[in-house]
Amino acid sequence: MRELAVGGSLSVVEVGARDGLQNEKELVTTADKVALIVRLIEAGARRLEVASFVNPARVPQMADGEAVIAALPDRADVSYIGLCLNKRGVLRALATREGGRRGVDEAGCVLVASDTFGQRNQGQTIAEGLAANREMLRLAREGGLVPQVTISAAFGCPFEGPVPPARVAALAAEMAEAGAEEIALADTIGVGVPGQVVDLVSLVREAAPGVRLRAHFHNTRGTGIANAWAAWQAGIRVLDSSLGGLGGCPFAPRATGNIATEDLVYAFERSGIATGFSLEALIAANHWFETRIGRALPSAVGRAGDFRATGAETGAGAA
Ligand code: ZN
């Protein structure tokens, strides 16, 4: 049994199979996506992004979403998230459950906190995004999916620069009122810093009391794990991460992507916070997936390994 020095536990949403793969240029086969998800579940993942219901012409990597979902293990202790950018996405998410099939469990909706980013990415202003998400959340709930929403570009916009925290808080309040069961604050382009995380979380909590908050960080500028820790200190208990740090940043082509699940699990478990993951299994999954995509993944712990596994700590070979 693990001794918990700090107490409490962190819930991790594994986004590798969706956010992580979405920026991969080479198509990953459906079989490899399913095998990746199965390995992540075996390593301890209980909530996973598994597909994005986007236009397959725009995002060919996500074109096999329905096929991936149909092949997933039907486990009662696992929640599958389908990303929905519009009403059509929610309808596709609902359709995965037709005919008594397992399908996805959660509709992960997305609201962009910047007019310019929203228009370029989804052809929507913030106001249009709000209206669309209200309907999407309602449809998801009525269809039996957990309605949740990610506020993207919450820490900065690649076109407009800083995003006013008061705006993000107001959007969160609107989404809570529209029935979101969870609201994620996403640093989509990886510009946030720990002090900003603390401030934004406190503003959002004031504006939308009672709704569960989640945070999504990218390690684009090396602040990912520090931001995750700041979020924990600010009371966030659900964080997104991807195996190996899979997932790039379309606005910083040479940069790494999401914070790595291995790095997050290492930092939190060694701080006495349970995550439910086996770090050994994650590292093994990382090394397996490297053989599938033919390159090393950016995760630091994936490369360096677990400290506990070294002779120095176990005493093996120590003088
Ligand atoms: Zn991401």
Side-chain angles (χ1 to χ4, degrees):
M1 291 296 285
R2 185 172 285 123
E3 283 290 317
L4 293 181
V6 173
S9 60
L10 176 73
S11 167
V12 175
V13 176
E14 232 302 330
V15 301
R18 198 286 304 171
D19 194 354
L21 295 187
Q22 194 156 318
N23 283 302
E24 287 294 321
K25 283 177 209 76
E26 298 282 321
L27 288 186
V28 176
T29 66
T30 305
D32 277 346
K33 287 176 185 167
V34 173
L36 171 64
I37 292 165
V38 168
R39 280 183 187 252
L40 290 169
I41 293 170
E42 284 168 356
R46 291 298 175 266
R47 282 181 78 193
L48 305 96
E49 277 189 359
V50 294
S52 181
F53 299 110
V54 288
N55 183 347
R58 276 194 72 184
V59 191
Q61 186 67 268
M62 293 289 119
D64 61 348
E66 276 83 357
V68 169
I69 291 160
L72 294 177
D74 181 12
R75 286 178 60 148
D77 60 343
V78 173
S79 187
Y80 296 126
I81 303 166
L83 202 81
C84 303
L85 299 185
N86 48 36
K87 179 181 169 184
R88 180 167 161 69
V90 177
L91 294 176
R92 282 175 66 188
L94 290 169
T96 64
R97 295 155 67 91
E98 279 169 9
R101 287 174 302 154
R102 161 62 191 263
V104 293
D105 304 286
E106 303 181 37
C109 302
V110 179
L111 175 65
V112 184
S114 143
D115 279 320
T116 312
F117 195 1
Q119 277 166 324
R120 299 225 190 171
N121 209 43
Q122 277 156 247
Q124 261 176 358
T125 61
I126 295 173
E128 288 163 345
L130 273 172
N133 273 280
R134 276 194 209 100
E135 188 186 10
M136 290 156 63
L137 292 167
R138 181 182 58 77
L139 272 176
R141 178 184 291 279
E142 286 173 4
L145 296 170
V146 174
Q148 45 112 329
V149 62
T150 292
I151 300 180
S152 79
F155 293 82
C157 167
F159 308 107
E160 296 181 9
V163 169
R167 181 201 295 167
V168 177
L171 295 178
E174 295 246 21
M175 290 294 90
E177 196 204 282
E181 284 189 17
E182 180 183 74
I183 296 173
L185 304 174
D187 187 11
T188 313
I189 57 167
V191 292
V193 294
Q196 186 185 9
V197 173
V198 172
D199 291 346
L200 186 61
V201 169
S202 110
L203 262 188
V204 168
R205 182 161 286 124
E206 258 175 53
V211 67
R212 185 172 67 230
L213 298 182
R214 195 173 94 232
H216 178 106
F217 297 115
H218 279 229
N219 202 35
T220 316
R221 289 170 177 81
T223 56
I225 295 296
N227 288 345
W229 186 252
W232 169 269
Q233 298 284 19
I236 298 263
R237 292 295 175 265
V238 192
L239 289 168
D240 290 356
S241 63
S242 73
L243 182 77
L246 272 166
C249 177
F251 302 97
R254 283 170 300 151
T256 56
N258 294 285
I259 56 171
T261 306
E262 304 92 298
D263 298 359
L264 185 66
V265 166
Y266 180 82
F268 276 67
E269 291 275 351
R270 287 192 67 84
S271 300
I273 297 156
T275 64
F277 277 84
S278 154
L279 189 55
E280 196 184 348
L282 280 173
I283 292 171
N286 170 316
H287 294 160
W288 164 77
F289 199 65
E290 286 181 343
T291 68
R292 305 312 297 162
I293 61 169
R295 63 175 171 83
L297 300 177
S299 152
V301 172
R303 275 174 282 149
D306 188 0
F307 181 57
R308 272 174 254 235
T310 66
E313 202 190 22
T314 60

